[in-house]
Amino acid sequence: MTSYESAGDPGAGTGRAPGTADAVHDVPYDAVVLAGGAALRLGGADKPGLQVGGRPLLDRVLAACAGARTITVVADARPTVRPVTWAREDPPGGGPLAALDAGLRHTTAEQVVVLSADLPFLGEPTVRRLLAVLRSSGTDGVLLTDADGRDQPLVAAYRSQALHRELAALTAAAPAGGPDSAGALTGLPLRRLTARLDLTRVPDPVASFDCDTWDDLATARARIREHGHVLDEWISAVKDELGIDLDVDTGVLLDLARDAAHGVARPAAPLTTFLVGYAAARAGGGPEAVAEASRKAAALAVRWADEDADAKPDVAPDATPDRRPDAG
């Protein structure tokens, strides 16, 4: 067993373990999201559909694994913001191990990310980190551990071959007998699988946080509105709502809005950032187009402010006659 400590701010859920690469998203992977649980501690509520920050929990998880070649959701079909493949264990409600087996049948990549549908703080950087550690560790899988040090096998990346191997062994060993026995994995807990795997642990109390109770949901909704999180959460929600899959330097846009507000007038801030977005879209879109349009607008705002400062008199307005061309 190997264990990595999260790098950087452990509360951010985006640090990379030592020795990992930045370009891990270039290697294809598939994702399986388990979303068909009974949610007993929520009184049977539709947990994947519960909203945090205006987005269903399932959509938040789908955004985190948006880099996957294919995403299979094991549950009854429902509207989602991203296209997915739907699967169901047989019989339905057969538990997480049977659901995982059903989802894996739709994957072909050598690495697979396995997630539950109730992770409000999971982000794509954490998914990339799991994959990077998997590729460098040589183990069968990499999973997060929560604030109490407990394994979270549904926030993990695995080698597909290892999963198929051990699931086949568990199926063959089931009392019903035979590798093709229907329902052989029904009711079996995930630990029956993970106990057979060589796993690496990565502590991350934030990204591994799941919403099992109404208190958990309230905690998640409160946290995303804290000062240090609300802006990123809002921008992420807007991009999902508008179908925009674009990463830009929000700091540049905020600086531009500040310069326009201070150097011109307050209403100039939202209007200017809107015009920058419009100009970037006309130029073909993309982060580079946004950056270039922002640079031009920011330079204009500075020139505008400098000109205004130069126009202000150094002495009291009534010290000399008004000699402006339009003076009365």
Side-chain angles (χ1 to χ4, degrees):
M1 179 188 76
T2 307
S3 178
Y4 285 103
E5 293 293 334
S6 295
D9 176 10
T14 59
R16 289 183 174 83
T20 61
D22 290 332
V24 295
H25 57 282
D26 293 336
V27 180
Y29 74 95
D30 291 329
V32 174
V33 180
L34 306 191
L40 295 178
R41 296 171 67 185
L42 286 165
D46 175 24
K47 182 160 63 168
L50 295 175
Q51 294 191 355
V52 173
R55 291 188 293 165
L57 285 169
L58 176 57
D59 283 340
R60 296 178 71 92
V61 173
L62 295 181
C65 58
R69 186 174 59 185
T70 64
I71 303 175
T72 301
V73 180
V74 185
D76 293 331
R78 67 170 68 219
T80 56
V81 295
R82 297 174 186 274
V84 302
T85 299
W86 296 97
R88 205 69 170 104
E89 69 274 24
D90 184 18
L97 204 56
L100 174 59
D101 182 62
L104 283 174
R105 297 176 187 273
H106 297 271
T107 66
T108 56
E110 294 182 2
Q111 291 89 28
V112 59
V113 171
V114 178
L115 305 169
S116 61
D118 60 350
L119 302 165
F121 305 135
L122 181 69
E124 194 169 10
T126 299
V127 171
R128 292 199 300 265
R129 176 159 51 101
L130 287 168
L131 290 164
V133 176
L134 176 66
R135 290 161 190 154
S136 64
S137 66
T139 57
D140 293 327
V142 180
L143 52 76
L144 296 189
T145 57
D146 64 17
D148 296 320
R150 293 173 298 198
D151 287 354
Q152 299 297 316
L154 295 183
V155 200
Y158 299 96
R159 299 188 192 279
S160 299
Q161 184 179 16
L163 291 182
H164 286 296
R165 180 190 69 228
E166 299 306 334
L167 285 169
L170 286 170
T171 300
D180 297 320
S181 298
L185 300 176
T186 297
L188 295 183
L190 275 173
R191 62 177 176 272
R192 291 286 295 274
L193 172 66
T194 55
R196 304 170 67 101
L197 299 172
D198 180 20
L199 298 173
T200 297
R201 273 81 178 174
V202 177
D204 195 326
V206 176
S208 64
F209 181 90
D210 56 6
C211 291
D212 284 333
T213 68
W214 293 112
D215 284 344
D216 293 338
L217 190 69
T219 296
R221 288 172 170 173
R223 184 182 185 274
I224 68 166
R225 286 167 171 78
E226 294 173 358
H227 175 70
H229 308 289
V230 65
L231 187 58
D232 286 341
E233 288 286 349
W234 170 249
I235 290 173
S236 179
V238 170
K239 289 197 296 184
D240 257 14
E241 191 73 15
L242 300 179
I244 300 172
D245 193 11
L246 175 68
D247 289 325
V248 298
D249 188 344
T250 55
V252 169
L253 293 176
L254 289 173
D255 288 344
L256 169 60
R258 180 202 62 206
D259 292 343
H262 292 173
V264 184
R266 257 184 202 283
L271 292 172
T272 304
T273 52
F274 164 77
L275 292 172
V276 162
Y278 182 77
R282 291 193 62 184
E288 296 82 4
V290 176
E292 176 62 13
S294 298
R295 184 193 64 77
K296 291 180 177 179
L300 175 62
V302 170
R303 295 198 305 270
W304 184 289
D306 288 345
E307 183 178 304
D308 184 53
D310 290 342
K312 292 179 180 178
D314 294 329
V315 296
D318 58 350
T320 57
D322 189 347
R323 300 186 183 278
R324 289 177 298 169
D326 59 347

